[in-house]
Structures are given as C-alpha cells and as structure tokens.
Amino acid sequence: MVNFAESRLDALAVHAVGTKHNEEGYTASRTLFPLDLHDISEPLHTFFVEPFKWDDTQQFMHRTDLEQNTVYNLCRAIFETPTELLQHSVSLLKHLYESS
C-alpha cells in the first residue's frame, strides 16, 4: 500500500487534451502553476489522492523490459528531476496523446 502522509504538491502542470481520433489536438502549459498557498495546496492534494482505490491498483509493465516502458520512464524522470516537471509532463502529454 502506498502511504501519502508525507506527500505534497508544490506545483501543477495543467494541459488541455482533446481526442486524437477527432483531431482535437492538445495545448501544453508553458509554465507551472505554483501551489505555495496553503489554502489551495491542501484541497488539491485531497482531490488528487482520494480517488486512488487500493483494491484496484495498477503497475507499469513491458513485454521485455520495464525500462522500455515510456510512461514509466517519464514518471520516474519527474521524481528524479522535479525541477523539470514541466518538460517531462509535456513529453508525457505528447506520448499519451499519440498512443491513444
């Protein structure tokens, strides 16, 4: 089970994504939205964390090697270099849009 007790939100990358099949495209945020205000950060943290249902967990996989999984690598990069959150989130946006 994952423990979010010490997790926090410092910033958000907010992107708008349409359906590729309908050729709706996407718009990537150019900046991060800082969450340094306590009255905003706490409700957003609850909003993002509460939907996780522990009886329905998922995991990253790849047929040959987990290191080949693009989403896994992008998510790992976000945690390894949080200062590059915006760049990694845009890469994730583009990959998921093209894969959907």
Side-chain angles (χ1 to χ4, degrees), residues 23-90:
E23 299 178 359
E24 294 171 337
Y26 57 82
T27 303
S29 178
R30 293 179 189 210
T31 60
L32 290 176
F33 294 91
L35 297 175
D36 53 0
L37 301 173
H38 183 71
D39 58 327
I40 295 173
S41 182
E42 221 173 284
L44 285 176
H45 184 272
T46 301
F47 176 78
F48 286 116
V49 170
E50 280 187 8
F52 286 99
K53 305 293 184 219
W54 301 114
D55 56 337
D56 185 29
T57 59
Q58 304 293 319
Q59 63 185 14
F60 293 110
M61 64 172 284
H62 191 273
R63 285 186 209 149
T64 57
D65 182 11
L66 184 58
E67 298 296 322
Q68 301 286 325
N69 183 301
T70 304
V71 175
Y72 169 78
N73 285 312
L74 288 168
C75 290
R76 188 175 72 186
I78 289 170
F79 286 97
E80 289 175 354
T81 53
T83 56
E84 297 178 19
L85 169 63
L86 184 60
Q87 297 89 325
H88 296 315
S89 71
V90 171

Coordinates of all heavy atoms in Angstrom, one line a residue, residues 23-90:
E23 N -9.1 14.6 -34.1 CA -8.2 15.6 -34.4 C -8.4 16.9 -33.6 O -8.2 18.0 -34.1 CB -8.3 15.9 -35.9 CG -8.0 14.7 -36.8 CD -8.1 15.0 -38.3 OE1 -8.4 16.1 -38.7 OE2 -7.9 14.0 -39.1
E24 N -8.6 16.7 -32.3 CA -8.8 17.9 -31.4 C -7.5 18.5 -30.9 O -7.5 19.6 -30.4 CB -9.7 17.5 -30.3 CG -11.1 17.1 -30.7 CD -11.9 16.5 -29.6 OE1 -11.4 15.9 -28.7 OE2 -13.2 16.6 -29.8
G25 N -6.4 17.8 -31.0 CA -5.1 18.3 -30.6 C -5.0 18.5 -29.1 O -5.8 18.0 -28.3
Y26 N -4.0 19.2 -28.7 CA -3.7 19.5 -27.3 C -3.0 20.8 -27.2 O -2.4 21.3 -28.1 CB -2.9 18.4 -26.6 CG -1.5 18.1 -27.3 CD1 -0.4 18.9 -27.1 CD2 -1.4 17.1 -28.2 CE1 0.8 18.7 -27.7 CE2 -0.2 16.9 -28.9 CZ 0.9 17.7 -28.6 OH 2.1 17.5 -29.2
T27 N -3.1 21.4 -26.0 CA -2.4 22.6 -25.7 C -1.6 22.4 -24.4 O -2.2 22.0 -23.4 CB -3.3 23.8 -25.5 OG1 -4.1 23.9 -26.6 CG2 -2.6 25.1 -25.2
A28 N -0.3 22.5 -24.5 CA 0.6 22.3 -23.3 C 0.8 23.6 -22.6 O 1.0 24.6 -23.2 CB 1.9 21.7 -23.8
S29 N 0.8 23.5 -21.3 CA 1.0 24.7 -20.5 C 2.5 25.1 -20.7 O 3.4 24.3 -20.9 CB 0.8 24.3 -19.0 OG 1.1 25.4 -18.2
R30 N 2.7 26.4 -20.7 CA 4.0 27.0 -20.9 C 4.7 27.2 -19.5 O 5.9 27.5 -19.5 CB 4.0 28.3 -21.7 CG 3.5 28.0 -23.1 CD 3.4 29.3 -23.8 NE 2.8 29.1 -25.1 CZ 3.0 29.8 -26.2 NH1 3.8 30.7 -26.2 NH2 2.4 29.5 -27.3
T31 N 4.0 27.2 -18.5 CA 4.5 27.5 -17.1 C 3.9 26.5 -16.1 O 2.8 26.0 -16.4 CB 4.3 28.9 -16.7 OG1 2.9 29.2 -16.6 CG2 5.0 29.9 -17.6
L32 N 4.5 26.4 -15.0 CA 4.0 25.7 -13.9 C 3.1 26.6 -13.1 O 3.4 27.8 -13.0 CB 5.0 25.1 -13.0 CG 5.9 23.9 -13.6 CD1 7.0 23.5 -12.6 CD2 5.0 22.7 -13.9
F33 N 2.1 26.1 -12.4 CA 1.3 26.9 -11.5 C 1.8 26.6 -10.1 O 1.6 25.4 -9.6 CB -0.2 26.6 -11.7 CG -0.8 27.0 -13.0 CD1 -0.8 26.1 -14.1 CD2 -1.2 28.3 -13.2 CE1 -1.2 26.5 -15.3 CE2 -1.7 28.7 -14.4 CZ -1.7 27.8 -15.5
P34 N 2.4 27.5 -9.4 CA 2.9 27.2 -8.1 C 1.8 27.1 -7.1 O 0.8 27.7 -7.2 CB 3.8 28.4 -7.8 CG 3.3 29.5 -8.6 CD 2.7 28.9 -9.9
L35 N 2.0 26.2 -6.1 CA 1.0 26.0 -5.1 C 1.6 26.3 -3.7 O 1.6 25.5 -2.8 CB 0.5 24.5 -5.1 CG -0.2 24.1 -6.4 CD1 -0.5 22.6 -6.4 CD2 -1.4 24.9 -6.6
D36 N 2.1 27.5 -3.6 CA 2.7 27.8 -2.3 C 1.7 28.4 -1.3 O 2.1 28.7 -0.2 CB 3.9 28.8 -2.5 CG 3.4 30.1 -3.4 OD1 2.3 30.1 -3.8 OD2 4.3 30.9 -3.6
L37 N 0.5 28.5 -1.7 CA -0.6 28.9 -0.8 C -1.2 27.7 -0.1 O -1.7 26.9 -0.7 CB -1.6 29.8 -1.5 CG -1.1 31.0 -2.2 CD1 -2.2 31.6 -3.0 CD2 -0.6 32.0 -1.2
H38 N -1.1 27.7 1.2 CA -1.6 26.5 2.0 C -3.1 26.2 1.7 O -3.5 25.1 1.6 CB -1.4 26.7 3.5 CG -1.8 25.5 4.3 ND1 -1.1 24.3 4.3 CD2 -2.8 25.3 5.1 CE1 -1.7 23.5 5.1 NE2 -2.7 24.1 5.6
D39 N -3.9 27.3 1.6 CA -5.4 27.1 1.4 C -5.7 26.5 0.1 O -6.8 25.9 -0.1 CB -6.1 28.4 1.6 CG -5.7 29.5 0.7 OD1 -4.5 29.6 0.3 OD2 -6.5 30.3 0.3
I40 N -4.8 26.5 -0.9 CA -5.0 25.9 -2.2 C -4.4 24.5 -2.2 O -5.0 23.5 -2.8 CB -4.4 26.7 -3.3 CG1 -5.2 28.1 -3.5 CG2 -4.5 26.0 -4.7 CD1 -4.5 29.0 -4.4
S41 N -3.2 24.3 -1.7 CA -2.5 23.1 -1.8 C -3.2 21.9 -1.1 O -3.3 20.8 -1.7 CB -1.1 23.3 -1.2 OG -0.4 22.1 -1.3
E42 N -3.7 22.1 0.1 CA -4.4 21.0 0.8 C -5.6 20.5 0.1 O -5.7 19.2 -0.1 CB -4.7 21.5 2.2 CG -4.4 20.4 3.2 CD -4.6 20.9 4.6 OE1 -3.7 21.7 5.1 OE2 -5.6 20.6 5.3
P43 N -6.6 21.3 -0.3 CA -7.7 20.7 -1.0 C -7.3 20.0 -2.4 O -7.9 19.0 -2.7 CB -8.6 21.9 -1.3 CG -8.2 23.0 -0.4 CD -6.7 22.7 -0.1
L44 N -6.3 20.6 -3.1 CA -5.9 19.9 -4.3 C -5.2 18.6 -4.0 O -5.4 17.6 -4.7 CB -5.0 20.8 -5.1 CG -5.6 22.0 -5.8 CD1 -4.6 22.8 -6.5 CD2 -6.6 21.5 -6.9
H45 N -4.5 18.5 -2.9 CA -3.8 17.2 -2.5 C -4.9 16.2 -2.3 O -4.8 15.1 -2.8 CB -3.0 17.5 -1.3 CG -2.2 16.3 -0.9 ND1 -2.7 15.3 0.0 CD2 -1.0 15.9 -1.2 CE1 -1.8 14.4 0.2 NE2 -0.7 14.7 -0.5
T46 N -5.9 16.6 -1.6 CA -7.1 15.6 -1.3 C -7.7 15.2 -2.6 O -8.0 14.0 -2.8 CB -8.1 16.3 -0.4 OG1 -7.4 16.6 0.9 CG2 -9.2 15.4 -0.1
F47 N -8.0 16.2 -3.5 CA -8.6 15.9 -4.8 C -7.8 14.9 -5.6 O -8.4 14.0 -6.2 CB -8.7 17.2 -5.5 CG -9.3 17.0 -6.9 CD1 -10.7 16.9 -7.1 CD2 -8.5 17.1 -8.0 CE1 -11.2 16.7 -8.4 CE2 -9.0 16.9 -9.3 CZ -10.4 16.7 -9.5
F48 N -6.5 15.0 -5.6 CA -5.7 14.1 -6.4 C -5.4 12.7 -5.8 O -5.2 11.7 -6.4 CB -4.3 14.8 -6.8 CG -4.5 15.8 -7.8 CD1 -4.2 17.1 -7.5 CD2 -4.9 15.5 -9.1 CE1 -4.3 18.1 -8.5 CE2 -5.0 16.5 -10.1 CZ -4.7 17.8 -9.7
V49 N -5.4 12.7 -4.4 CA -5.0 11.5 -3.7 C -6.2 10.6 -3.4 O -6.2 9.3 -3.6 CB -4.2 11.8 -2.4 CG1 -4.1 10.6 -1.6 CG2 -2.9 12.4 -2.8
E50 N -7.4 11.1 -3.0 CA -8.5 10.3 -2.6 C -9.1 9.4 -3.6 O -9.5 8.3 -3.3 CB -9.6 11.2 -2.1 CG -9.4 11.7 -0.7 CD -10.6 12.4 -0.1 OE1 -11.6 12.5 -0.7 OE2 -10.4 13.0 1.0
P51 N -9.0 9.7 -4.9 CA -9.6 8.7 -5.9 C -8.9 7.4 -6.0 O -9.4 6.4 -6.6 CB -9.5 9.5 -7.2 CG -9.4 10.9 -6.9 CD -8.7 11.0 -5.6
F52 N -7.6 7.3 -5.5 CA -6.9 6.0 -5.6 C -7.6 5.0 -4.7 O -7.8 5.2 -3.6 CB -5.5 6.2 -5.1 CG -4.6 6.9 -6.1 CD1 -4.3 8.2 -6.0 CD2 -4.1 6.2 -7.2 CE1 -3.5 8.9 -6.9 CE2 -3.3 6.9 -8.1 CZ -3.0 8.2 -8.0
K53 N -8.0 3.9 -5.4 CA -8.6 2.8 -4.7 C -7.6 1.6 -4.6 O -7.1 1.1 -5.6 CB -9.8 2.3 -5.5 CG -10.9 3.4 -5.7 CD -11.5 3.9 -4.5 CE -12.6 4.9 -4.8 NZ -12.7 6.0 -3.9
W54 N -7.3 1.2 -3.4 CA -6.2 0.3 -3.2 C -6.6 -1.1 -3.6 O -5.7 -2.0 -3.7 CB -5.7 0.3 -1.7 CG -5.2 1.7 -1.5 CD1 -5.8 2.6 -0.6 CD2 -4.2 2.4 -2.1 NE1 -5.1 3.8 -0.7 CE2 -4.1 3.7 -1.6 CE3 -3.3 2.1 -3.1 CZ2 -3.2 4.7 -2.0 CZ3 -2.4 3.0 -3.6 CH2 -2.3 4.3 -3.0
D55 N -7.8 -1.4 -3.8 CA -8.2 -2.8 -4.3 C -8.1 -2.8 -5.8 O -8.3 -3.9 -6.4 CB -9.6 -3.1 -3.8 CG -10.7 -2.1 -4.2 OD1 -10.3 -0.9 -4.5 OD2 -11.9 -2.5 -4.2
D56 N -7.8 -1.7 -6.4 CA -7.7 -1.7 -7.9 C -6.4 -1.0 -8.3 O -6.4 0.1 -8.9 CB -8.9 -1.0 -8.5 CG -8.9 -1.1 -10.0 OD1 -8.4 -2.0 -10.6 OD2 -9.5 -0.1 -10.6
T57 N -5.3 -1.5 -7.9 CA -4.0 -0.9 -8.2 C -3.5 -1.4 -9.6 O -3.9 -2.5 -10.0 CB -3.0 -1.2 -7.2 OG1 -2.8 -2.6 -7.1 CG2 -3.3 -0.6 -5.8
Q58 N -2.7 -0.6 -10.2 CA -2.1 -0.9 -11.5 C -0.6 -0.8 -11.3 O -0.1 -0.3 -10.4 CB -2.6 0.1 -12.5 CG -4.1 0.2 -12.7 CD -4.7 -1.1 -13.3 OE1 -4.1 -1.6 -14.2 NE2 -5.8 -1.5 -12.7
Q59 N 0.1 -1.4 -12.3 CA 1.5 -1.3 -12.3 C 2.0 -1.2 -13.7 O 1.4 -1.6 -14.7 CB 2.2 -2.5 -11.6 CG 1.9 -3.8 -12.3 CD 2.5 -5.0 -11.5 OE1 2.8 -4.8 -10.4 NE2 2.6 -6.1 -12.1
F60 N 3.2 -0.6 -13.9 CA 3.8 -0.4 -15.2 C 4.4 -1.8 -15.6 O 4.8 -2.6 -14.8 CB 5.0 0.6 -15.1 CG 4.5 2.0 -14.8 CD1 4.8 2.6 -13.6 CD2 3.9 2.7 -15.8 CE1 4.4 3.9 -13.4 CE2 3.5 4.0 -15.6 CZ 3.8 4.6 -14.4
M61 N 4.3 -2.0 -16.9 CA 4.9 -3.3 -17.4 C 5.3 -3.0 -18.9 O 5.0 -2.0 -19.5 CB 3.9 -4.4 -17.4 CG 2.6 -4.2 -18.2 SD 1.6 -5.6 -18.3 CE 2.5 -6.6 -19.4
H62 N 6.1 -4.0 -19.3 CA 6.5 -4.0 -20.7 C 6.8 -5.5 -21.0 O 7.3 -6.3 -20.1 CB 7.8 -3.2 -20.9 CG 8.1 -3.0 -22.4 ND1 8.9 -3.9 -23.1 CD2 7.7 -2.1 -23.3 CE1 9.0 -3.5 -24.3 NE2 8.3 -2.4 -24.5
R63 N 6.6 -5.9 -22.2 CA 6.8 -7.4 -22.5 C 8.2 -7.9 -22.3 O 8.4 -9.0 -21.9 CB 6.4 -7.6 -24.0 CG 4.9 -7.6 -24.2 CD 4.6 -8.0 -25.7 NE 3.4 -7.3 -26.0 CZ 3.0 -7.0 -27.2 NH1 3.9 -7.2 -28.2 NH2 1.9 -6.4 -27.5
T64 N 9.2 -7.0 -22.6 CA 10.5 -7.5 -22.5 C 11.3 -6.9 -21.3 O 12.0 -7.6 -20.6 CB 11.3 -7.2 -23.8 OG1 11.3 -5.8 -24.1 CG2 10.7 -8.0 -24.9
D65 N 11.1 -5.6 -21.1 CA 11.9 -4.9 -20.0 C 11.2 -3.7 -19.6 O 10.8 -2.8 -20.5 CB 13.3 -4.6 -20.6 CG 14.2 -4.0 -19.5 OD1 13.8 -4.0 -18.3 OD2 15.3 -3.5 -20.0
L66 N 10.9 -3.5 -18.3 CA 10.2 -2.3 -17.8 C 10.9 -1.0 -18.3 O 10.3 0.0 -18.5 CB 10.2 -2.4 -16.3 CG 9.4 -1.3 -15.6 CD1 7.9 -1.2 -16.1 CD2 9.4 -1.4 -14.1
E67 N 12.2 -1.0 -18.4 CA 12.9 0.2 -18.9 C 12.5 0.6 -20.3 O 12.8 1.7 -20.7 CB 14.5 -0.1 -18.8 CG 15.0 -0.4 -17.5 CD 14.8 0.8 -16.5 OE1 15.0 1.9 -16.9 OE2 14.5 0.5 -15.3
Q68 N 11.8 -0.2 -21.0 CA 11.3 0.1 -22.3 C 9.9 0.8 -22.3 O 9.5 1.3 -23.3 CB 11.2 -1.2 -23.2 CG 12.5 -1.9 -23.3 CD 13.4 -1.2 -24.3 OE1 13.0 -0.6 -25.3 NE2 14.7 -1.3 -24.0
N69 N 9.3 0.9 -21.1 CA 8.0 1.5 -20.9 C 8.2 3.0 -20.9 O 8.7 3.5 -19.9 CB 7.3 0.9 -19.7 CG 5.9 1.5 -19.5 OD1 5.7 2.7 -19.4 ND2 5.0 0.6 -19.5
T70 N 7.7 3.7 -21.9 CA 7.8 5.2 -22.0 C 7.2 5.9 -20.8 O 7.8 6.8 -20.2 CB 7.2 5.7 -23.3 OG1 7.9 5.0 -24.4 CG2 7.4 7.2 -23.4
V71 N 6.0 5.5 -20.4 CA 5.3 6.2 -19.3 C 6.0 6.0 -18.0 O 6.2 6.9 -17.2 CB 3.8 5.8 -19.2 CG1 3.1 6.4 -18.0 CG2 3.1 6.1 -20.5
Y72 N 6.5 4.8 -17.8 CA 7.3 4.5 -16.6 C 8.5 5.4 -16.5 O 8.8 6.0 -15.5 CB 7.7 3.0 -16.6 CG 8.8 2.7 -15.5 CD1 8.4 2.6 -14.2 CD2 10.1 2.6 -15.9 CE1 9.4 2.3 -13.2 CE2 11.1 2.3 -14.9 CZ 10.7 2.1 -13.6 OH 11.6 1.8 -12.7
N73 N 9.2 5.5 -17.6 CA 10.4 6.3 -17.6 C 10.2 7.8 -17.5 O 10.9 8.5 -16.8 CB 11.2 6.1 -18.9 CG 11.9 4.8 -18.9 OD1 12.6 4.5 -18.0 ND2 11.8 4.0 -20.0
L74 N 9.1 8.3 -18.0 CA 8.7 9.7 -17.9 C 8.3 10.0 -16.4 O 8.7 11.0 -15.8 CB 7.6 10.1 -18.8 CG 8.1 10.2 -20.3 CD1 6.9 10.4 -21.2 CD2 9.1 11.4 -20.5
C75 N 7.5 9.1 -15.8 CA 7.1 9.3 -14.4 C 8.3 9.2 -13.5 O 8.5 10.0 -12.6 CB 6.1 8.2 -14.0 SG 4.5 8.5 -14.8
R76 N 9.2 8.3 -13.8 CA 10.4 8.2 -13.0 C 11.3 9.5 -13.1 O 11.8 10.0 -12.1 CB 11.2 7.0 -13.4 CG 12.4 6.7 -12.5 CD 13.1 5.4 -12.9 NE 13.8 5.7 -14.1 CZ 14.5 4.8 -14.8 NH1 14.5 3.5 -14.4 NH2 15.1 5.1 -15.9
A77 N 11.4 10.0 -14.3 CA 12.1 11.2 -14.5 C 11.5 12.4 -13.7 O 12.3 13.3 -13.2 CB 12.2 11.6 -16.0
I78 N 10.2 12.5 -13.6 CA 9.6 13.5 -12.8 C 10.1 13.5 -11.4 O 10.4 14.5 -10.8 CB 8.1 13.5 -12.9 CG1 7.6 13.9 -14.3 CG2 7.4 14.3 -11.9 CD1 6.1 13.6 -14.6
F79 N 10.1 12.3 -10.8 CA 10.6 12.2 -9.4 C 12.1 12.4 -9.3 O 12.6 12.9 -8.3 CB 10.1 10.9 -8.8 CG 8.7 10.8 -8.6 CD1 7.8 10.3 -9.5 CD2 8.1 11.4 -7.4 CE1 6.4 10.2 -9.2 CE2 6.8 11.4 -7.1 CZ 5.9 10.8 -8.0
E80 N 12.8 12.0 -10.3 CA 14.3 12.1 -10.2 C 14.7 13.5 -10.4 O 15.8 14.0 -9.9 CB 15.0 11.2 -11.2 CG 14.9 9.7 -10.9 CD 15.4 8.8 -11.9 OE1 15.8 9.3 -13.0 OE2 15.5 7.6 -11.6
T81 N 14.0 14.3 -11.3 CA 14.4 15.7 -11.6 C 13.1 16.6 -11.5 O 12.6 17.0 -12.5 CB 15.1 15.8 -12.9 OG1 14.2 15.2 -13.9 CG2 16.4 15.2 -13.0
P82 N 12.6 16.8 -10.3 CA 11.4 17.6 -10.2 C 11.5 19.0 -10.7 O 10.5 19.6 -11.0 CB 11.1 17.6 -8.7 CG 12.3 17.1 -8.0 CD 13.1 16.4 -9.0
T83 N 12.7 19.5 -10.9 CA 12.8 20.8 -11.4 C 12.5 20.9 -12.9 O 12.3 21.9 -13.5 CB 14.3 21.4 -11.3 OG1 15.2 20.4 -11.9 CG2 14.6 21.6 -9.8
E84 N 12.4 19.7 -13.5 CA 12.0 19.6 -14.9 C 10.6 19.0 -15.1 O 10.3 18.4 -16.1 CB 13.0 18.7 -15.7 CG 14.4 19.4 -15.7 CD 15.4 18.5 -16.3 OE1 15.1 17.6 -17.1 OE2 16.6 18.7 -16.1
L85 N 9.7 19.2 -14.1 CA 8.4 18.8 -14.2 C 7.6 19.2 -15.4 O 7.0 18.4 -16.1 CB 7.6 19.2 -12.9 CG 6.1 19.0 -13.0 CD1 5.7 17.5 -13.0 CD2 5.4 19.7 -11.8
L86 N 7.8 20.4 -15.8 CA 7.0 20.9 -17.0 C 7.5 20.2 -18.2 O 6.6 19.7 -19.0 CB 7.2 22.4 -17.1 CG 6.4 23.0 -18.3 CD1 4.9 22.8 -18.1 CD2 6.7 24.5 -18.4
Q87 N 8.8 20.1 -18.5 CA 9.2 19.4 -19.7 C 8.8 17.9 -19.7 O 8.4 17.4 -20.7 CB 10.8 19.5 -19.7 CG 11.3 20.9 -19.9 CD 11.6 21.6 -18.5 OE1 10.9 21.3 -17.5 NE2 12.6 22.4 -18.5
H88 N 8.9 17.2 -18.6 CA 8.6 15.8 -18.5 C 7.0 15.7 -18.7 O 6.6 14.7 -19.4 CB 9.0 15.2 -17.2 CG 10.4 15.1 -17.0 ND1 11.3 14.8 -17.9 CD2 11.2 15.4 -15.9 CE1 12.6 14.8 -17.5 NE2 12.5 15.2 -16.2
S89 N 6.3 16.6 -18.1 CA 4.8 16.5 -18.3 C 4.4 16.7 -19.7 O 3.4 16.1 -20.2 CB 4.1 17.4 -17.3 OG 4.2 18.7 -17.7
V90 N 5.1 17.6 -20.4 CA 4.7 17.8 -21.8 C 5.1 16.6 -22.7 O 4.3 16.2 -23.5 CB 5.5 19.1 -22.4 CG1 5.3 19.2 -23.9 CG2 4.9 20.3 -21.7

